[in-house]
Amino acid sequence: MAQPDNKKFFENLSGAGKAIAVLTSGGDAQGMNAAVRAVVRMGIYVGAKVYFIHEGYQGMVDGGDNIKEATWESVSSMLQVGGTVIGSARCMEFRTHEGRLKAAHNLVQHGITNLCVIGGDGSLTGANLFREEWSSLLAKLVQQGMISDDAAEKYSALHIVGMVGSIDNDFCGTDMTIGTDSALHRIIEVVDAIMTTAQSHQRTFVLEVMGRHCGYLALVSALACGADWVLIPEMPPEDGWEEKMFGTSWDFYFVCVCKRVSHPLICLVCTPSLQLVVRSLGFDTRVTILGHVQRGGTPSAFDRILASRMGVEAVLALLETTANTPACVVSLCGNQAVRLPLMECVQMTQEVQKAMDEKRFEDAVKLRGSLRLYKRLSVPGADSEWPCAFSPIQSNFNVAVLNVGAPAAGMNAAVRSAVRVGISEGHKMFAINDGFEGFYKGQIKEIKWGAVGGWTGQGGSLLGTKRTLPAKYIGKIAEQIRKYNINALLVIGGFEALECLLQLCEARRTFEELCIPLCMLPATISNNVPGTDLSIGADTALNAIVETCDRIKQSASGTKRRVFIIETMGGYCGYLASVGGLAAGADAVYIYEEPFDIRELQSNVEHLTEKMKTSIQRGLVLRNENSNVNYTTDFIYQLYSEEGKGVFDCRKNILGHMQQGGAPSPFDRNFGTKIAAKAMQWISKKLQESYRQGRVFANTEDSACLLGMRRRALVFQPVTQLKDQTDFIHRIPKEQWWLKLRPLMKILAKYKTSYDVSDSGQLEHVVCNRTKESDTTTTI
C-alpha cells in the first residue's frame, strides 16, 4: 500500500554497515534495562550490529570480553528487571586522556562509531568530551601504530546519543528521567505503610529520601502523600522555620526531607539533619531513611514505556546523524519524545547547581520547579476549620465538585486538590455524593479543609460515583443549584462526564441556573476521553496489568513452551492493551481500533511457533475486551491451543476489575493534584469574568471546558468543540495518539511493520523557563 506523501517512515533509514554500542554509566536506575533492550532490538531490526559495553566506561577502557555483540534473544526477560544487567561503574581512568585513548582503540577494533549512553549528566558530559577528542585520539593511535590510516579514515566520526537514567530527575531539558517514576513508587509504598502506624499511635514521622542536590523526589512524594512539611535543597527553610513547624498542634506530623538540605540549621549530612528535626519536634518521633530501596525493585510501567520510546528514538537519531550533528540527548517534553543538544542540557543543569552554591535559591527554583502548589495544598490544619495562620479573603462564590462514571485511582487526589485550592482562593466548597444521582437528590454538603486530609492515597471514589446522566433530572438539578447557590461546577470522571457536561450545556437554554462555569477533569482507566492524551487512573491500571503480566511471564518461563492470552478492560478503547503490551513485552495485542482477521491470527500463531524454536520459549498475547465481537478471548485461546498443538500450550486470564482497584500510583496522585489545581484557578478566573450585577452568568462556549493534556501542554477546550472529535457509539476519540506506539510494540516483538517518524528528527533547543513543576505533567 502506498504511504501518504506527508509522512516519513523509518524504513528509509538503514543501519546496514553500522555498529552501535550501548552502555549504562553512573548510578543504576530502574528502566535502564528496558532502554538497553529497545536500543538492541531496534538496532538489529534496522540491520546494524549492536554491542553491549559491560561495566560502563570501565568496560570501554578495559575492552576484551566487556565489549560483546548483542543478539535478539540476549535482551529477553529484561523488561521487568531493575538495575542494569550490563553493569555500571564509576571510571576514573576514563577521565584521563590515556583512558579515553584506550577506549577509542577498543571501539575502533569493533568498528563502533555510534554510541548510546544511558546515565546522568556526568556520564553524558564524558561522552561529549570523548566525541570532541575523537579525531585527535585516532590520530594518536595511528601515530602509535595501533590502527591503520584506513581505519582512522573509515571510523573518522563518533556519534553520541544520550538517554538520562537517574532516579533524582535532576537533568534539565527533560520532564522525567528514566527511573524517577519507579523511585516514587518505592517511596509511596513505604509512606502508605508508615501512614497507618502514624495515625494509630499519633506519632511524628520523619522520612529521608534520596536526590542529592535535587528535591524532586521529596517534593513530589510530599504532594503524593499529603506530607505536612517538605524540606528540599532548592528552597531551604526561612529563619524561624522551627517555630512554624513545631508551633502548631496537629494529630501527627509527616516530614519529608531530601538529603543535603542546604541551610545553616540543617547539616549537610543526612543523620544530623534528621536528628535536628527530631529534637525540635519533641514528640514521640520515628525516623525512616529509605536509602537504596528507592533505586531497587521492578521498574514501573511508566519507566518501561519511557525507556522503550527513548531507546527507539536514540537509534533513529544515530541513523540520521551526520558528521556535523551535535551530540544529542533524547528527552521527554509533555507527551512527546524530543531531541535536544546534549551540552545545552548539561550547561543548564550546571546552572542550577551554581545558583544553589551561590545561595540564589529563587533562581534555582525557577530553573528546577516551583513550590507554590505544594504550599497551597499543605497549609496545616488540625480540624475542619481553616488554620488561623492563613485566612484567605472570602470570595462569596460557592463551587461544587462531584465524580461521575466508574471509579478511577487518583479521583480522590483530584478532589482533595480542588477543595484545598478552592478554599485558598476564598471559595466555599461543596461536595456532591454519588454523582448526578446524588445531585438531584440533594446529597450536597459543604466540605472543609480538614475533611480531605489523607485522601491522596485512597483508591476508588470517596465521594461516590454513578453513571447516571443528568438530562432526565435536569429540572431537579437546577433546583439544587438554586437552593445551594452553586456558582461553578467541577466534574471529575470519564466518558460519562463529557456526556454530562454536553447535556448541561444543552439545558442552559431552558435553565439559567446552569449558566455557570463548568469544568471537567478526565478520570478513567480506559483513557477514552477526547481532548486529552491521558486520563487520571490510567497509569494505575497500567501498573496493575504490567505487574500481572510479569507474574504470568514468570510462570510461563518456568514451564516453558507456554502462551498466555490476557484480556484487559477499556471498552472499545485499546489504550490499556496496547501500552500495557509495550510495557510487558507482549508478542501481539488485539484492539478494536486496528481490525484483525483470521489470517492475522494465524500469522501470530506461526510467529510464536518460530519463537518457541529459540531460547525464548514463552509468549504473551493481550486482547482488549471489545476488540472484536466474534474473535473473543475464548475463541483466540481455542485457536492458539489447536494451532499450537505439539509446539506450545495455552492459558488464558481475564484481569477484570482488579484494573480499577488499588492505591493510586504516584503519577495519578500528582496528575490529579496538578490538573485539579489548574482547573480551580480557571474556575476562579471565569467566576470573576462572569460576575455581573450581583450574580454569576456564564453561557458562552468557553465557559464549559475539559482540561486535558495535548502533546506538550495542559489545554482547556470547550466541550462543544469536542463533539466532532468523538465517536459516541463506541465511546472513543476519533484520533488517538497512542496508536503511534503500536508499531514500537510490534518492532520489539520482531514483526515487520511501518513506523511513522514524522515527529522525529528535529533537533530542538532547551527552553530556559521550562520546569518540572510547570503546566505540563509528564506522561507516556
Side-chain angles (χ1 to χ4, degrees), residues 493-495 498 520 522-524 526-533 535 706 731 733:
F495 200 89
L498 175 66
M520 173 193 163
T524 166
S526 302
N527 200 31
N528 63 332
V529 178
T532 186
D533 290 350
S535 301
L706 176 146
R731 298 161 59 88

Side-chain angles (χ1 to χ4, degrees), residues 121 138 158 183 186 281 330 369 408 438 492 630 633 666 670 693 763:
D121 60 331
L138 293 194
L158 178 67
R186 300 294 93 77
L281 282 167
V330 179
I492 304 170
N630 293 314
T633 302
N670 285 289
Q693 298 177 340
L763 193 66

Side-chain angles (χ1 to χ4, degrees), residues 599-613:
R599 288 181 293 275
E600 184 169 346
L601 290 170
Q602 182 63 37
S603 172
N604 294 149
V605 172
E606 291 169 0
H607 185 88
L608 283 166
T609 301
E610 288 300 310
K611 185 180 180 181
M612 296 300 162
K613 296 175 184 177

Side-chain angles (χ1 to χ4, degrees), residues 610-646:
E610 288 300 310
K611 185 180 180 181
M612 296 300 162
K613 296 175 184 177
T614 71
S615 59
I616 317 171
Q617 296 182 345
R618 51 157 177 70
L620 183 68
V621 176
L622 270 60
R623 177 188 175 273
N624 166 250
E625 59 183 352
N626 288 343
S627 56
N628 190 291
V629 69
N630 293 314
Y631 298 135
T632 62
T633 302
D634 280 335
F635 177 91
I636 293 174
Y637 163 70
Q638 290 166 5
L639 174 71
Y640 272 64
S641 297
E642 181 62 30
E643 295 297 319
K645 194 177 290 183

